[in-house]
Amino acid sequence: VQLQASGGGLVQSGGSLRLSCAASGFTFGNYATGWFRQAPGKEREGVSCISSNGTGTYYPDSVKGRFTISRDNAKNTVYLQMNSLKPEDTAVYYCARLFIHYCNIPNVDYWGKGTLVTVSS
């Protein structure tokens, strides 16, 4: 199982970024996937998850209305569109495979390497 995240970078407050995560080594369309983030000195947290067929999504209040998760099962890829970014969104963002569709760290069975998102004020 491999999960390769990309798309991070430096953006000004109010800007946008789109993260991508390319999956391989398993039947992508059979699993829920999610994006998690970890800011310096803070615990890792879930920011968005999506069901295996893309019909169900989850967002915490901190990103609701600003972030949108989507997936293309034909391309084995999950995306995270991040708009209206804030300095507090600065973190390393990780994509993950979930063995059940609940957006919690204990439900992650594989992690990708992270991609750094830095939002300047």
Side-chain angles (χ1 to χ4, degrees), residues 65-85:
R66 300 189 298 120
F67 290 11
T68 303
I69 191 170
S70 61
R71 65 189 294 158
D72 185 338
N73 286 350
K75 295 183 178 180
N76 290 353
T77 303
V78 60
Y79 305 97
L80 184 66
Q81 179 66 44
M82 305 186 293
N83 298 329
S84 302
L85 283 161

Side-chain angles (χ1 to χ4, degrees), residues 5-72:
S6 61
L10 174 64
V11 63
Q12 290 188 333
S13 181
S16 298
L17 279 176
R18 188 193 196 203
L19 305 183
S20 299
C21 177
S24 61
F26 65 101
T27 304
F28 181 69
N30 287 352
Y31 289 87
T33 56
W35 290 95
F36 296 75
R37 69 185 180 188
Q38 188 164 19
K42 295 189 176 181
E43 294 186 351
R44 193 171 297 190
E45 62 175 352
V47 293
S48 187
C49 293
I50 189 166
S51 61
S52 58
N53 63 5
T55 60
T57 57
Y58 163 81
Y59 305 95
D61 288 343
S62 58
V63 307
K64 197 172 292 182
R66 300 189 298 120
F67 290 11
T68 303
I69 191 170
S70 61
R71 65 189 294 158
D72 185 338

